[in-house]
Amino acid sequence: MPTVSVKRDLLFEALGQKYTDEEFDELCFEFGLELDEITSEKEILSREQGDEKAAGASDVVLYKIDVPANRYDLLCLEGLVRGLQVFKEKLEAPRYKRVSPADGGEPQRLVITEETASVRPHAVAAVLRNISFTQERYESFIELQEKLHQNICRKRTLVAIGTHDLDTISGPFTYTAKPPGDIRFKPLNQSKEYTAAELMSHYKTDSHLRHYLHIIENEPLYPIIYDSNGIVLSMPPIINGDHSKISLNTKNIFIECTATDLTKAKITLDMIVTMFSEYCDEPFTVEEAEVVYPDGRLCVYPELAYRTETLSGDFINKRVGINESAESIAQLLTRMCLRSEVSGEGDLIQVEIPPMRADVIHACDIMEDAAIAHGFNNIVRSTPRTYTVANQLPLNKLTELLRQDLAAAGFTEALTFALCSQEDIADKLRKNIVETRAVHISNPKTAEFQVVRTSLLPGLLKTLAANRKMPLPLKLFEISDVVLKDETKDVGARNNRRLCAVYYNKSPGFEVIHGLLDRVMQLLDVKPGRNQGYHIQAAEDSTFFPGRCAEIFSCGKSIGHLGVLHPDVISRFELTMPCSAIDIDIEPFL
Amino acid sequence: RRRRWWWKLQLQHCLSLTGDRRTGLHMADTGLLESLLRLLEKVDGGTDSQDVAADLGVDHQVIVGAVKSLQALGEVISTEQKSSKHWELTGEGREIAEQGSHEARVFNAIPDEGLPQNELMKMPSGKVGFSKAMSNKWIRLDKAHEGGPRVFKTVETIEDTVRDKLQLVQKGQSAKLEDKEKNELKKRKLLSEVTVKSYWITKGSSFSTTITKQETELTPEMIASGSWKEKNFKPYNFEAMGVAPDCGHLHPLMKVRTQFRQIFLEMGFTEMPTNNFIESSFWNFDSLFQPQQHPARDQHDTFFISDPALAHEFPQDYMERVKKVHSEGGYGSQGYKYDWKIEEAQKNLLRTHTTAVSARMLYKLAQQKFTPVKYFSIDRVFRNETLDATHLAEFHQIEGVVADYGLTLGNLMGVLHQFFTKLGITKLRFKPAYNPYTEPSMEVFSYHEGLKKWVEVGNSGVFRPEMLLPMGLPEGVSVIAWGLSLERPTMIKYGINNIRELVGHKVNLQMVYDSPICRLDS
């Protein structure tokens, strides 16, 4: 969930009202936001870098507000204020308008060449004309781009934004892709020119930009945007040129978004222009720009598309569980920036979805907004009439019953991790990793998460090792799942429910573990015997001490092993006493 | 013999602390006890155990033992513990009380004709005695004497005051000495001040000078012969702990799981088969209308599987419908409008939520004539997250799902209210939230009386039509669902701050042994 940090006083000024922290928290809760933290730059710095570094920092109160991940329109002060003001019915939602250049001139044009196809094929653009920045507005503009980059743009992989002082460059602009050696320009806030190749190595140590290098690093061609004089606007998705950088005094802004996902590029562009056209001489208007595709297709951006959905009041009432007139539902929706009107036909409501509400993709999204505006906590809670008879999963029922009786038999239940290291299930048990049929994890952060366990034994032995200070004997059990590769399953693996128990004492206590097997079989109503019953038979298994291991058969089928553990296994798990163990599959007893 | 007997009393004392309720296991000899009682009979207002020791001429510790034995007999005597300071001779002090001070011994060793100094110095008391006797002016040293320095007496007789004072202390009459004198002797390491714990003993309510022999425990013989009727039984010490029963224990997290299972069963929910940790991205994400670029599908959040890397079997028609709703929309949806790839859907992973199983179950349900269902599961899920005191890479998710025609958001709140009431939580409120596969989505908050604030206790929502309709569920069917973790309520219930002490091999088994039964509503 993204967090937006806004200055409290600035926020209240924009909202035209002062709130106590509690009142504002309450408003957030109702609207689906969360006032996560009340802090200041000074406090943040002092927490992160110590009091000394924080000495000169600002102690202006900051609100950190958690915003739902799909509400890109609330990622800056401007959007938050607009959303809340409309919600509180203090403001009517503005209508965003795409306009042609005022002087009747040609729109700005961005031409995409075919070289971009392999690396970053899409681009969209727009112009914000006669904008008035203040320090705060400027900072918010930069911050919004960063928030969009981190969220909808998926860390610039899907979309990268470039904003330029239009008065320093001249169109038409060309979006192309070139070998890194052929690109040379002075990047943002640098004092000299670099080739693209040099830049990539220069930014290797940059705490911010190094995270984006991988996106194009191994591409033969890098994306690059030039103006008609060959001035570099940006090398997306890494860095803009220094030449066209915007400042507090910038009046006209050229915005380009390059992308691998066109839908997201359009949304990103719509977000920026809807949020900041507020500060243009003619508020909420955005000057169009043309984008020409390699095949000659010409598109005009920003789309700023309004869409109308028609739904019935009955639909909303039935889904939410309220009973409101179509008129009042229309009013509720209007408060959520979804301008709505009763159409006159029955209880049909026409709902207009504005360009910055890209999260509304279905009637259910509209239904949710009606419920939010109505107030979730004003909805009457009622019990559904759904009549059903409960059933337990037979495997879990058996597990629950056995657990109770294993504890009654004197064994204590352990709860160990399903993920472990290769070593745990192979080397430490004196097994070969290949024969374990283990499922392997491709991206473990540490060795603890290399594989899914194929046996419960390592977990129990590690539990013993962590509890060596406890009085002996230690008797532990666990009934849980292991995972084995199985080609007959759609995913190529299956769980297997196992029962494992260990007895750890000064003497191996094979008879104790054997006694436990007898008890378990008694509980499962399987009698001793060769054919229909159970029996054990001497076996060799590398985990166990030679001559001290038996295989367990039930109804003629092998279900597991019991025995005294091999001394090497004991030492590899950092244990010092003899230990006997039983490990069986309980699924045959279903 | 008496030392040994005292040791047994000590042992008995230990036993009574660690679980043995029987008192007076080893009775002091009756003779001594009766002597003590007779002595007590004669004094009014009681006596000090130290005086008793002096009167009976036995070590004080023996009397302490006897007092404890008498205490065990009930109200024969009543006692009050006292502590008093008291002067005692050191080893050297006792030697001097017997043999005289070093200086006196030196004086007495010198004949009238004197003694060579080097010979005198060979005496055990030589060095100390010589200098003390010199400073007392009892002796003189003639350094110029022919044949070496020689020591002569200067007085006829001496008074050995050091010995006299020590003998007073030995007789228990230290009060006759002045503090200054005692401190001086203490400095010479002849006296030491010790704190003595003693008892002030008075007659008890059932005081008697004779001891009736008491039985410790009822025996089969007594029952058979009926002799128990005549016997007097030693009282039990009810302050002691009992002996822990020899038994196994269930893990607290699993005890809580059992209770949650019970709650769902009481509410008529059927358990889902969640015994499939490995899941395809398709069922874990795509079927839930979670787009392929969603951050949850990132390597940083999800454990992907390298072997077996890909799932190879999907319901083909359904998969086509899922692809379409993601990339083009449909069922009234705009869709996400991106290039949906089967390669992404095939990637195996460790399921990140049990909702993957709910998706499989709902798909299965859609393949037959629709009947309403209520499903639940409690099982492990996996996240490739940064670990801390409350987050592990695997945890248990509790999930409830209801599918029926015409379910409302108010119904979801109603079910949640019933569910949480069974957990003892009645004050609930709901916050709008976002979740890719539910709309509306609600975070569930409960009022925490201790913290005096609202805390999040779960997540809930109504499954999106883009998830349900491609499965083939009828248009009017709504599916409401909620989820929470099993670990968090367990940690709160059992007061555990670090999740590693609860889950995994680093568990503290003592905690497992000691954890109470789980009643969630109390």
Side-chain angles (χ1 to χ4, degrees):
Chain A
M1 205 188 279
T3 303
V4 181
S5 170
V6 293
K7 291 179 180 158
R8 182 192 61 186
D9 295 348
L10 217 58
L11 176 71
F12 289 173
E13 194 191 315
L15 288 172
Q17 187 184 342
K18 281 201 167 113
Y19 294 84
T20 63
D21 292 341
E22 290 73 27
E23 283 166 352
F24 190 72
D25 184 44
E26 203 53 40
L27 174 63
C28 285
F29 193 96
E30 207 187 331
F31 193 58
L33 302 169
E34 197 170 325
L35 179 54
D36 187 47
E37 200 188 349
I38 301 164
T39 181
S40 68
E41 263 174 49
K42 193 172 192 167
E43 208 179 305
I44 297 169
L45 268 175
S46 121
R47 191 176 48 214
E48 286 168 1
Q49 300 176 23
D51 287 338
E52 274 174 39
K53 288 265 169 81
S58 155
D59 48 14
V60 169
V61 179
L62 293 180
Y63 274 180
K64 292 204 155 186
I65 302 171
D66 278 350
V67 174
N70 63 339
R71 291 298 299 271
Y72 313 117
D73 59 316
L74 302 176
L75 287 177
C76 60
L77 178 88
E78 289 73 13
L80 273 172
V81 167
R82 220 173 289 161
L84 288 170
Q85 290 293 75
V86 174
F87 183 62
K88 302 286 283 178
E89 294 181 289
K90 288 185 184 167
L91 184 79
E92 208 172 299
R95 268 202 88 77
Y96 306 100
K97 229 165 85 191
R98 184 173 78 191
V99 295
S100 305
D103 49 13
E106 289 291 305
Q108 295 299 330
R109 177 174 281 203
L110 178 63
V111 180
I112 306 178
T113 72
E114 61 191 5
E115 289 83 358
T116 60
S118 66
V119 49
R120 207 170 177 83
H122 306 290
V124 295
V127 173
L128 286 174
R129 230 5 122 174
N130 297 315
I131 197 163
S132 308
F133 274 141
T134 61
Q135 186 64 37
E136 274 94 17
R137 292 171 183 181
Y138 178 78
E139 282 168 12
S140 179
F141 186 67
I142 303 296
E143 190 58 29
L144 174 65
Q145 291 175 54
E146 179 56 23
K147 286 276 182 281
L148 291 169
H149 273 152
Q150 290 311 311
N151 292 284
I152 184 176
C153 307
R154 297 289 294 116
K155 298 180 180 154
R156 302 193 189 179
T157 52
L158 301 183
V159 186
I161 309 160
T163 54
H164 311 276
D165 187 337
L166 184 56
D167 298 324
T168 64
I169 44 182
S170 62
F173 307 102
T174 307
Y175 173 39
T176 184
K178 284 187 164 186
D182 296 355
I183 298 171
R184 190 177 170 82
F185 68 105
K186 187 163 118 185
L188 189 63
N189 300 330
Q190 296 289 333
S191 49
K192 61 172 184 126
E193 289 195 349
Y194 292 81
T195 66
E198 285 165 354
L199 260 188
M200 296 299 269
S201 70
H202 180 75
Y203 287 138
K204 277 264 178 322
T205 54
D206 188 291
S207 63
H208 181 56
L209 295 178
R210 65 190 165 95
H211 301 292
Y212 308 117
L213 303 181
H214 72 95
I215 305 172
I216 54 166
E217 207 166 25
N218 298 317
E219 298 289 340
L221 303 179
Y222 286 5
I224 185 93
I225 303 177
Y226 294 102
D227 84 343
S228 58
N229 299 319
I231 288 169
V232 170
L233 273 66
S234 63
M235 184 176 84
I238 312 296
I239 189 80
N240 288 348
D242 192 64
H243 182 92
S244 60
K245 73 177 171 204
I246 62 164
S247 71
L248 261 179
N249 304 319
T250 299
K251 295 307 291 176
N252 301 303
I253 303 175
F254 179 67
I255 304 163
E256 41 84 5
C257 300
T258 55
T260 54
D261 181 322
L262 181 59
T263 310
K264 293 221 161 28
K266 291 178 190 171
I267 295 173
T268 304
L269 184 66
D270 277 353
M271 288 300 159
I272 297 173
V273 298
T274 53
M275 292 301 116
F276 282 88
S277 55
E278 182 177 352
Y279 302 132
C280 291
D281 274 358
E282 209 173 312
F284 308 116
T285 62
V286 185
E287 186 179 302
E288 66 192 19
E290 293 173 350
V291 173
V292 183
Y293 276 82
D295 60 5
R297 212 157 27 98
L298 188 143
C299 298
V300 181
Y301 294 110
E303 282 196 338
L304 289 180
Y306 282 79
R307 184 174 96 243
T308 304
E309 297 259 2
T310 305
L311 41 82
S312 71
D314 185 55
F315 165 82
I316 303 273
N317 281 325
K318 283 208 167 129
R319 292 297 171 117
V320 179
I322 52 176
N323 192 12
E324 296 286 330
S325 68
E327 286 76 14
S328 76
I329 290 170
Q331 206 178 342
L332 292 175
L333 291 172
T334 303
R335 281 176 51 208
M336 301 302 288
C337 290
L338 304 175
R339 194 180 304 212
S340 303
E341 278 172 3
V342 176
S343 72
E345 275 177 71
D347 68 342
L348 289 184
I349 304 167
Q350 295 214 314
V351 186
E352 186 185 56
I353 293 110
M356 49 15 119
R357 287 303 305 276
D359 58 298
V360 178
I361 57 175
H362 192 278
C364 69
D365 298 304
I366 299 170
M367 179 260 287
E368 179 184 61
D369 274 12
I372 293 173
H374 180 271
F376 275 11
N377 295 295
N378 297 326
I379 298 168
V380 177
R381 301 168 191 184
S382 57
T383 307
R385 296 193 182 153
T386 311
Y387 176 82
T388 52
V389 174
N391 286 304
Q392 302 185 48
L393 187 74
L395 182 60
N396 290 357
K397 186 176 180 176
L398 175 67
T399 303
E400 286 287 291
L401 292 170
L402 277 178
R403 285 176 54 239
Q404 299 284 341
D405 271 308
L406 282 176
F411 282 72
T412 290
E413 187 174 31
L415 175 69
T416 65
F417 295 128
L419 307 185
C420 58
S421 68
Q422 278 193 31
E423 201 189 8
D424 284 340
I425 54 165
D427 298 359
K428 285 186 178 177
L429 291 183
R430 306 180 79 246
K431 299 259 188 221
N432 184 332
I433 187 68
V434 179
E435 74 194 36
T436 61
R437 289 194 287 154
V439 166
H440 291 253
I441 294 165
S442 67
N443 55 335
K445 280 182 189 146
T446 67
E448 291 168 88
F449 311 119
Q450 288 173 327
V451 291
V452 190
R453 66 181 172 200
T454 52
S455 164
L456 300 178
L457 188 56
L460 289 185
L461 295 177
K462 287 200 271 185
T463 308
L464 287 178
N467 284 279
R468 279 177 307 193
K469 62 181 191 306
M470 297 294 290
L472 295 174
L474 282 168
K475 297 192 271 187
L476 299 180
F477 82 94
E478 184 170 14
I479 305 181
S480 190
D481 285 348
V482 302
V483 176
L484 304 168
K485 280 197 281 191
D486 181 347
E487 299 211 334
T488 66
K489 300 287 167 187
D490 59 348
V491 296
R494 68 176 163 90
N495 283 26
N496 180 217
R497 187 77 38 102
R498 294 279 182 84
L499 182 164
C500 187
V502 291
Y503 176 83
Y504 183 66
N505 201 0
K506 286 178 184 149
S507 61
F510 179 83
E511 66 288 355
V512 177
I513 280 298
H514 191 185
L516 184 69
L517 170 67
D518 294 336
R519 176 65 187 145
V520 168
M521 289 302 164
Q522 198 171 45
L523 292 167
L524 293 168
D525 201 16
V526 182
K527 308 267 185 300
R530 290 252 154 198
N531 298 317
Q532 289 313 300
Y534 75 96
H535 72 277
I536 65 173
Q537 181 177 304
E540 283 306 315
D541 184 300
S542 51
T543 302
F544 294 91
F545 201 34
R548 295 280 184 276
C549 171
E551 192 167 2
I552 306 162
F553 293 87
S554 175
C555 301
K557 192 173 169 266
S558 170
I559 57 164
H561 287 88
L562 84 168
V564 178
L565 294 183
H566 196 284
D568 284 346
V569 173
I570 290 170
S571 345
R572 284 170 198 177
F573 282 96
E574 289 162 25
L575 294 169
T576 51
M577 303 277 169
C579 181
S580 50
I582 178 170
D583 180 3
I584 58 171
D585 176 1
I586 64 163
E587 290 182 21
F589 303 103
L590 277 175
Chain B
R1 206 182 79 84
R2 281 193 170 144
R3 292 301 298 173
R4 194 177 139 81
W5 170 84
W6 164 238
W7 174 81
K8 283 186 177 174
L9 269 171
Q10 286 276 359
L11 184 72
Q12 172 216 331
H13 186 64
C14 293
L15 281 173
S16 73
L17 283 176
T18 53
D20 198 321
R21 186 162 274 130
R22 291 168 295 171
T23 56
L25 263 179
H26 304 279
M27 179 58 66
D29 79 68
T30 318
L32 180 75
L33 298 186
E34 290 185 348
S35 307
L36 195 161
L37 291 172
R38 277 195 299 275
L39 203 71
L40 189 60
E41 191 185 21
K42 284 181 219 142
V43 293
D44 288 325
T47 181
D48 191 292
S49 54
Q50 290 188 83
D51 295 337
V52 176
D55 284 350
L56 296 180
V58 294
D59 192 86
H60 181 240
Q61 291 301 352
V62 175
I63 298 301
V64 170
V67 166
K68 285 186 173 163
S69 294
L70 288 169
Q71 283 173 327
L73 298 179
E75 298 299 313
V76 178
I77 55 165
S78 65
T79 56
E80 194 183 319
Q81 250 196 327
K82 289 170 59 184
S83 79
S84 60
K85 287 203 170 169
H86 148 100
W87 291 93
E88 210 170 64
L89 299 190
T90 62
E92 193 182 353
R94 270 198 298 278
E95 185 191 313
I96 288 172
E98 273 171 33
Q99 298 174 21
S101 65
H102 299 297
E103 54 270 34
R105 274 184 265 172
V106 163
F107 179 84
N108 290 333
I110 302 172
D112 290 344
E113 63 274 19
L115 197 67
Q117 191 192 13
N118 57 2
E119 223 167 281
L120 186 138
M121 286 303 182
K122 284 178 194 155
M123 284 174 61
S125 302
K127 269 188 189 154
V128 188
F130 172 75
S131 64
K132 276 278 169 193
M134 283 291 284
S135 72
N136 285 354
K137 299 206 166 60
W138 291 350
I139 54 170
R140 69 179 172 82
L141 176 66
D142 182 2
K143 285 186 184 167
H145 199 278
E146 60 183 89
R150 200 173 179 89
V151 185
F152 295 93
K153 290 198 256 194
T154 54
V155 291
E156 283 294 311
T157 55
I158 53 158
E159 207 180 323
D160 191 353
T161 53
V162 172
R163 179 187 197 176
D164 296 345
K165 287 174 192 168
L166 291 176
Q167 280 177 340
L168 275 177
V169 174
Q170 201 170 30
K171 283 183 213 149
Q173 297 171 9
S174 61
K176 288 185 179 166
L177 296 181
E178 297 201 0
D179 285 351
K180 201 180 137 195
E181 293 174 308
K182 285 186 278 204
N183 284 328
E184 199 173 302
L185 290 170
K186 188 182 171 188
K187 224 180 272 173
R188 285 186 67 176
K189 296 199 168 74
L190 303 178
L191 273 191
S192 66
E193 199 174 19
V194 292
T195 306
V196 178
K197 291 222 158 48
S198 62
Y199 287 99
W200 184 256
I201 313 167
T202 51
K203 292 171 196 164
S205 55
S206 50
F207 179 78
S208 152
T209 53
T210 52
I211 305 282
T212 325
K213 190 167 176 292
Q214 290 184 308
E215 297 296 338
T216 46
E217 288 294 17
L218 193 61
T219 64
E221 293 73 24
M222 291 176 197
I223 297 170
S225 66
S227 66
W228 59 269
K229 290 173 197 157
E230 280 81 43
K231 306 272 186 192
N232 193 351
F233 289 87
K234 282 169 205 161
Y236 274 172
N237 169 16
F238 292 108
E239 298 298 313
M241 297 292 283
V243 177
D246 188 13
C247 64
H249 309 264
L250 294 173
H251 191 281
L253 191 80
M254 296 293 99
K255 290 200 259 199
V256 179
R257 184 181 75 174
T258 301
Q259 289 313 304
F260 272 102
R261 234 177 138 253
Q262 184 67 31
I263 288 172
F264 277 113
L265 293 170
E266 285 167 9
M267 290 175 70
F269 283 65
T270 285
E271 196 168 23
M272 292 188 273
T274 45
N275 52 331
N276 60 325
F277 295 166
I278 310 301
E279 190 52 277
S280 62
S281 293
F282 179 77
W283 287 107
N284 196 81
F285 294 124
D286 296 287
S287 71
L288 298 172
F289 196 53
Q290 198 150 347
Q292 294 190 329
Q293 317 83 355
H294 193 277
R297 304 180 71 151
D298 208 286
Q299 297 275 329
H300 297 294
D301 290 272
T302 299
F303 287 114
F304 287 92
I305 304 298
S306 57
D307 179 23
L310 301 177
H312 49 74
E313 220 182 281
F314 302 96
Q316 279 308 318
D317 292 356
Y318 171 50
M319 190 181 222
E320 282 305 317
R321 293 194 293 270
V322 169
K323 175 181 177 171
K324 191 153 180 260
V325 77
H326 278 246
S327 53
E328 297 168 34
Y331 310 99
S333 176
Q334 301 292 307
Y336 293 122
K337 296 180 179 142
Y338 70 95
D339 188 11
W340 187 91
K341 293 193 175 77
I342 185 167
E343 292 76 13
E344 201 58 45
Q346 279 185 303
K347 287 182 181 169
N348 275 334
L349 44 77
L350 275 157
R351 67 166 176 232
T352 62
H353 46 202
T354 49
T355 317
V357 176
S358 307
R360 283 181 183 264
M361 293 299 283
L362 290 169
Y363 171 74
K364 207 171 140 195
L365 181 69
Q367 306 318 301
Q368 59 208 35
K369 187 180 174 325
F370 181 80
T371 48
V373 294
K374 292 196 286 211
Y375 288 142
F376 83 96
S377 64
I378 310 168
D379 212 336
R380 291 183 201 238
V381 297
F382 305 85
R383 307 268 168 97
N384 195 4
E385 282 185 329
T386 313
L387 313 183
D388 62 30
T390 54
H391 293 87
L392 290 174
E394 51 189 280
F395 64 94
H396 289 74
Q397 184 187 341
I398 301 170
E399 180 163 347
V401 177
V402 185
D404 200 354
Y405 281 101
L407 294 174
T408 68
L409 196 56
N411 286 152
L412 173 56
M413 293 172 172
V415 175
L416 286 166
H417 179 74
Q418 291 183 326
F419 177 78
F420 281 98
T421 300
K422 283 183 176 283
L423 302 178
I425 295 171
T426 49
K427 257 182 161 175
L428 287 186
R429 66 174 191 164
F430 302 94
K431 175 178 161 294
Y434 170 68
N435 189 339
Y437 45 89
T438 55
E439 188 82 9
S441 309
M442 307 190 298
E443 280 169 6
V444 188
F445 282 74
S446 87
Y447 191 73
H448 194 287
E449 296 293 347
L451 298 172
K452 296 264 172 263
K453 65 173 190 180
W454 292 89
V455 293
E456 196 190 328
V457 291
N459 245 304
S460 66
V462 183
F463 283 136
R464 293 190 71 98
E466 293 99 322
M467 166 183 164
L468 302 179
L469 296 175
M471 289 175 170
L473 284 169
E475 187 102 32
V477 168
S478 290
V479 182
I480 57 179
W482 74 98
L484 58 156
S485 92
L486 177 63
E487 279 76 359
R488 189 144 175 267
T490 306
M491 287 171 78
I492 293 167
K493 182 85 198 163
Y494 287 101
I496 295 164
N497 293 322
N498 186 345
I499 196 163
R500 283 156 213 275
E501 284 167 27
L502 177 69
V503 183
H505 56 266
K506 287 182 183 149
V507 67
N508 175 359
L509 281 178
Q510 193 63 50
M511 179 277 291
V512 176
Y513 293 172
D514 296 344
S515 72
I517 55 171
C518 172
R519 282 171 295 179
L520 290 170
D521 55 355
S522 61

PDB file of all heavy atoms in Angstrom, chain B residues 123 152 260 400:
ATOM      1  N   MET B 123      58.769 -20.251  69.153  1.00  0.00           N
ATOM      2  CA  MET B 123      57.487 -20.683  69.730  1.00  0.00           C
ATOM      3  C   MET B 123      56.331 -20.346  68.770  1.00  0.00           C
ATOM      4  O   MET B 123      56.400 -19.369  68.034  1.00  0.00           O
ATOM      5  CB  MET B 123      57.202 -19.930  71.051  1.00  0.00           C
ATOM      6  CG  MET B 123      57.994 -20.411  72.224  1.00  0.00           C
ATOM      7  SD  MET B 123      57.673 -19.313  73.630  1.00  0.00           S
ATOM      8  CE  MET B 123      55.934 -19.532  73.849  1.00  0.00           C
ATOM      9  N   PHE B 152      64.042 -11.033  79.083  1.00  0.00           N
ATOM     10  CA  PHE B 152      63.847 -11.240  80.531  1.00  0.00           C
ATOM     11  C   PHE B 152      62.476 -10.756  80.946  1.00  0.00           C
ATOM     12  O   PHE B 152      61.914  -9.827  80.353  1.00  0.00           O
ATOM     13  CB  PHE B 152      64.896 -10.445  81.328  1.00  0.00           C
ATOM     14  CG  PHE B 152      66.303 -10.938  81.095  1.00  0.00           C
ATOM     15  CD1 PHE B 152      67.101 -10.374  80.120  1.00  0.00           C
ATOM     16  CD2 PHE B 152      66.814 -11.991  81.879  1.00  0.00           C
ATOM     17  CE1 PHE B 152      68.388 -10.834  79.905  1.00  0.00           C
ATOM     18  CE2 PHE B 152      68.105 -12.436  81.655  1.00  0.00           C
ATOM     19  CZ  PHE B 152      68.896 -11.864  80.662  1.00  0.00           C
ATOM     20  N   PHE B 260     -10.554 -22.781  16.145  1.00  0.00           N
ATOM     21  CA  PHE B 260     -11.087 -22.101  14.960  1.00  0.00           C
ATOM     22  C   PHE B 260     -11.857 -23.086  14.080  1.00  0.00           C
ATOM     23  O   PHE B 260     -12.910 -22.769  13.528  1.00  0.00           O
ATOM     24  CB  PHE B 260      -9.962 -21.430  14.167  1.00  0.00           C
ATOM     25  CG  PHE B 260      -9.657 -20.029  14.634  1.00  0.00           C
ATOM     26  CD1 PHE B 260      -8.559 -19.760  15.425  1.00  0.00           C
ATOM     27  CD2 PHE B 260     -10.491 -18.975  14.287  1.00  0.00           C
ATOM     28  CE1 PHE B 260      -8.285 -18.469  15.869  1.00  0.00           C
ATOM     29  CE2 PHE B 260     -10.241 -17.678  14.717  1.00  0.00           C
ATOM     30  CZ  PHE B 260      -9.127 -17.441  15.512  1.00  0.00           C
ATOM     31  N   GLY B 400     -12.664 -18.100   5.412  1.00  0.00           N
ATOM     32  CA  GLY B 400     -14.060 -18.516   5.342  1.00  0.00           C
ATOM     33  C   GLY B 400     -14.679 -17.997   4.051  1.00  0.00           C
ATOM     34  O   GLY B 400     -14.378 -16.881   3.639  1.00  0.00           O
TER      35      GLY B 400
END
